[in-house]
Amino acid sequence: MSSKYRTLVALSHAVPVPALFALDDAQLAALWLNHGAMRDEAQEMFASIRLTAGAFLDRDLDRLDAVAAPQWAVDADARLAAHLAAAGLSSADVLAVRSSGGIEDGAAHSFAGIFESVLHVEGMAALKEALSEVWRSAFSRRAAVERLRCGLLDAPLEMTVIVQRMVAARWAGVAFSHDPIDGRPEMLIEAVQGVGDALVSGAAASQSVRWSEAGLVGDAPLRDAQEMLVELAAIVRTVEGQLGTAVDVEWACDGERVWVLQGRPITSLHATAGDAAHAEWTDLYLAADEDIAAFRPLPGFANYFRSKRRPLALLAHAHGVASGTALLVRGNAGGFEDASRMQALCARFGEDSVVLDFSDGLRQQVLPTGELASRLRQVLGAKPSTFVIRDYVRGDWGLITQPTEDGGVLCECSADGLLAINRGSAQTQAFVIGSDRQVSGAQSAAAAPFGAREREQLHRATHAAVARFGPVQLEWVTGAGQLRLIDFSPIKSLHVAQGDDGHEEDGRRTISPGFAHGAALVVPADRHLEDISIAATVSISHMPSAESLGPAIVRLAERARAGGGSMIVVAPRPYAALAALIPYVSGFVFEQASMLCHLAILLRESQVPAVASRALYARGLEGESLTIEARAARTSRETA
């Protein structure tokens, strides 16, 4: 049973607690035929949010909403009647059905108000509906976002449901043994006349009283109900002694006695001045170091963006090229309560969409700029967070460029966008801008979207970047006639494949040179695989482990290991997540592939042969053994 239920049972030996019982997962599984399937489906969605660092949060939340409803067993009514009778209750009683989640009421995170409660439940049909509603609140949108905000996506999906006699309350509310704001050892009581959930939910204005050195002070008529308040104070001190810490107690009084509905630690007791309203920002790339000092310590991703992209932004500025916009933000919920402050932040972005990097668990979220305010209100808490917001420049084309040994620049472009090129899901075209800034006739069609001015900028900035940073490839977006330099990636060699657009006479395109022969390891087209490849959780600077990318990649790696290292991966695209298979296979065959995507870079650095060939790909799907003979490419420059 959950800690919340165990706490209530333990407290019932010392203070008045209404008759109750609880249904844990094992007992609910006896009531619902599809309990395991519902739980597994919801857990899979949490795993997806974790694996992709929330990059597809709204879509995953929609899938959580669509989890099937419980299918009741034929003997469910009889089982519930037995549980009620064992607790001295019946379906004729007025009941309250409350949550008791495994992550509720912890010392650090209370999850107060996140899960559902259903009051005034009468009759077996209403009880069954309430049980379903409360249990499903464990994976509601609100619960998923709170788990994400608290870094608890990996916590087990556990929800014990408490069924309790409903108190016919004349007064109800919350009593704090210490002031929850400043921690002073003064009891604070807030209450409403009637049912207390109106107070907890904020639906009703409360009255409050406080015991201070000056005695009992506060609002009448609550202050005048002194007999009830004295009884309540004694109960709160008893609960505090039982739990061994400052507590808040949900209570109700029916005119005869005060009942305890819940007791838990005060998670806000150690609030500090740092929790005061806070909202400030500065330019992440171009601000001076002294302007960044107030935001330190920076999260790892902000440090990464700052250290890598600031030099690139300065280089772009020096060569007359626009760069990406990013703001470093520090703030909390209180700081952005003022709508004008939130509007001022959103106004800093000139694109229709932004990218939010909020925490290690919530990365690379692409949002319409108009929805940024609502998302921040979802994830900001009382303590200030430091995070990054970037313009998302979708543009008309994404490009990646590398210098060639003869003074030109190899360009690979796609209307699918820069991110799709990087992570291997794009359809690409390639062309070379010569040292004279011209493009050969056979490649003119691919270069058509880029005029003479853009070709000059691509050529000049690409060579300047290599002179400044060493062997790198540059990442660009273009739209409305303007190029933007977004990022760069260090590489060990600057690669140029043979032939026009890298194609050999038989239509094959060399991605990484070498020879390999082996059985096919087929990777089907998979949206989940694409999601993982796009998400920020896939490192593009080193080889990821299969275990870090989830069960689908683990299963592929196990098959590759069983093949003794000789199998050849057959995949529709060079998805970035497939990098985890590189140590266990002899080669890769793609239906279509980019030469400059991240997987292609890792394949060449690891000297694993790879080709794009529709014919070989089709043979691999048929289960045939494959042979890769990929011609060595010309390389402009290599590093140790």
Side-chain angles (χ1 to χ4, degrees):
M1 289 293 179
S2 72
S3 61
K4 180 177 179 180
Y5 175 70
R6 289 197 304 269
T7 297
L8 280 174
V9 171
L11 289 176
S12 68
H13 299 296
V15 295
V17 174
L20 77 164
F21 69 93
L23 299 172
D24 62 16
D25 275 340
Q27 292 162 326
L28 289 168
L31 296 172
W32 297 333
L33 301 177
N34 61 337
H35 175 273
M38 290 189 296
R39 177 173 172 159
D40 290 347
E41 188 176 357
Q43 200 73 63
E44 182 182 334
M45 292 303 98
F46 284 137
S48 175
I49 294 171
R50 178 182 59 80
L51 284 171
T52 62
F56 309 98
L57 182 61
D58 290 314
R59 191 194 67 201
D60 287 336
L61 293 179
D62 287 342
R63 293 170 67 187
L64 279 172
D65 287 341
V67 171
Q71 299 172 8
W72 289 90
V74 293
D75 63 346
D77 286 14
R79 286 178 177 273
L80 285 174
H83 284 298
L84 286 163
L89 299 168
S90 77
S91 59
D93 290 320
V94 181
L95 303 171
V97 180
R98 303 179 186 275
S99 67
S100 184
I103 56 177
E104 250 184 304
D105 298 338
H109 305 289
S110 73
F111 277 70
I114 298 299
F115 303 123
E116 293 294 335
S117 294
V118 183
L119 307 180
H120 303 291
V121 176
E122 299 183 63
M124 187 62 73
L127 175 58
K128 290 164 71 174
E129 184 177 346
L131 289 171
S132 172
E133 182 177 345
V134 172
W135 186 82
R136 286 174 63 88
S137 71
F139 51 88
S140 66
R141 285 174 171 262
R142 187 165 51 184
V145 171
E146 185 70 4
R147 279 173 170 260
L148 186 61
R149 191 177 68 81
C150 297
L152 292 172
L153 281 175
D154 285 334
L157 181 61
E158 296 177 350
M159 176 59 81
T160 297
V161 183
I162 296 174
V163 180
Q164 193 170 32
R165 188 189 303 278
M166 183 80 192
V167 176
R170 294 186 180 182
W171 284 97
V174 181
F176 300 91
S177 64
H178 289 61
D179 189 302
I181 303 300
D182 59 24
R184 285 183 294 169
E186 296 181 355
M187 190 174 298
L188 176 65
I189 298 171
E190 295 188 342
V192 294
Q193 291 182 313
V195 178
D197 281 61
L199 166 64
V200 176
S201 66
S206 65
Q207 298 180 40
S208 65
V209 296
R210 178 190 298 270
W211 261 290
S212 66
E213 293 180 357
L216 182 64
V217 296
D219 299 321
L222 176 60
R223 185 191 61 222
D224 299 332
Q226 292 197 22
E227 184 177 346
M228 178 187 74
L229 295 176
V230 169
E231 182 183 357
L232 175 59
I235 286 173
V236 171
R237 295 303 180 202
T238 300
V239 173
E240 186 177 43
Q242 292 284 313
L243 299 186
T245 185
V247 295
D248 76 68
V249 175
E250 289 187 28
W251 59 276
C253 180
D254 57 10
E256 298 293 328
R257 65 194 314 180
V258 175
W259 297 91
V260 171
L261 307 179
Q262 186 172 328
R264 60 193 173 207
I266 302 177
T267 56
S268 62
L269 185 62
H270 302 293
T272 67
D275 297 341
H278 197 98
E280 61 178 326
W281 54 84
T282 190
D283 190 296
L284 177 62
Y285 300 155
L286 299 179
D289 287 342
E290 55 268 25
D291 295 328
I292 296 291
F295 296 82
R296 298 189 185 280
L298 303 186
F301 55 84
N303 266 324
Y304 172 80
F305 290 147
R306 168 78 174 175
S307 61
K308 182 183 180 188
R309 296 187 181 179
R310 173 175 166 78
L312 186 69
L314 294 174
L315 182 142
H317 180 73
H319 289 273
V321 176
S323 60
T325 299
L327 293 184
L328 180 63
V329 186
R330 183 167 175 79
N332 59 4
F336 285 106
E337 280 183 354
D338 183 349
S340 64
R341 193 67 176 153
M342 185 72 82
Q343 290 168 1
L345 174 65
C346 296
R348 291 292 302 271
F349 300 96
E351 299 295 323
D352 294 335
S353 297
V354 294
V355 183
L356 172 64
D357 291 284
F358 186 79
S359 66
D360 288 336
L362 188 61
R363 291 286 313 279
Q364 209 166 283
Q365 283 213 303
V366 180
L367 301 166
T369 306
E371 295 180 12
L372 175 60
S374 61
R375 179 53 47 84
L376 289 179
R377 292 189 181 101
Q378 278 184 312
V379 297
L380 285 170
K383 295 186 179 298
S385 298
T386 302
F387 52 97
V388 174
I389 308 173
R390 297 174 280 154
D391 264 332
Y392 179 65
V393 188
R394 175 63 175 81
D396 301 319
W397 292 85
L399 301 94
I400 298 180
T401 60
Q402 285 187 9
T404 64
E405 63 181 359
D406 58 2
V409 169
L410 169 66
C411 304
E412 191 163 30
C413 62
S414 175
D416 294 333
L418 176 60
L419 183 60
I421 303 176
N422 273 329
R423 300 311 175 103
S425 61
Q427 296 187 20
T428 63
Q429 305 175 70
F431 60 94
V432 174
I433 302 173
S435 58
D436 58 359
R437 313 309 194 256
Q438 299 301 309
V439 178
S440 67
Q443 300 173 333
S444 296
F450 312 105
R453 178 175 177 273
E454 291 170 306
R455 293 197 301 270
E456 171 64 32
Q457 289 179 317
L458 291 169
H459 188 281
R460 184 173 64 250
T462 300
H463 281 279
V466 172
R468 169 68 175 81
F469 305 119
V472 294
Q473 61 183 31
L474 297 190
E475 301 174 8
W476 308 74
V477 170
T478 182
Q482 183 184 45
L483 279 170
R484 289 201 188 190
L485 182 52
I486 303 298
D487 201 359
F488 70 91
S489 298
I491 53 178
K492 291 184 178 178
S493 64
L494 304 179
H495 176 83
V496 182
Q498 294 180 353
D500 290 335
D501 195 23
H503 284 90
E504 302 176 17
E505 291 181 0
D506 63 356
R508 299 185 188 188
R509 189 183 197 189
T510 295
I511 304 301
S512 179
F515 174 87
H517 176 81
L521 174 59
V522 177
V523 177
D526 188 312
R527 179 61 181 270
H528 180 63
L529 187 60
E530 289 190 37
D531 287 351
I532 298 173
S533 296
I534 290 171
T537 44
V538 175
S539 171
I540 58 177
S541 60
H542 68 275
M543 208 82 70
S545 69
E547 290 72 20
S548 70
L549 302 182
I553 298 296
V554 168
R555 288 192 293 269
L556 286 170
E558 289 172 348
R559 290 174 57 196
R561 292 188 190 104
S566 65
M567 298 188 81
I568 292 177
V569 175
V570 177
R573 296 287 187 274
Y575 302 127
L578 296 179
L581 304 182
I582 289 176
Y584 313 117
V585 298
S586 63
F588 284 72
V589 169
F590 307 109
E591 181 182 29
Q592 186 173 16
S594 160
M595 293 185 295
L596 303 183
C597 68
H598 289 298
L599 180 59
I601 294 170
L602 290 174
L603 287 170
R604 291 193 290 272
E605 292 177 353
S606 302
Q607 298 183 337
V608 174
V611 296
S613 167
R614 295 184 187 278
L616 276 181
Y617 175 75
R619 287 172 53 189
L621 294 184
E622 295 296 325
E624 296 184 31
S625 293
L626 301 175
T627 299
I628 297 175
E629 295 181 275
R631 299 181 187 179
R634 293 185 294 116
T635 305
S636 65
R637 187 168 17 181
E638 295 194 1
T639 63

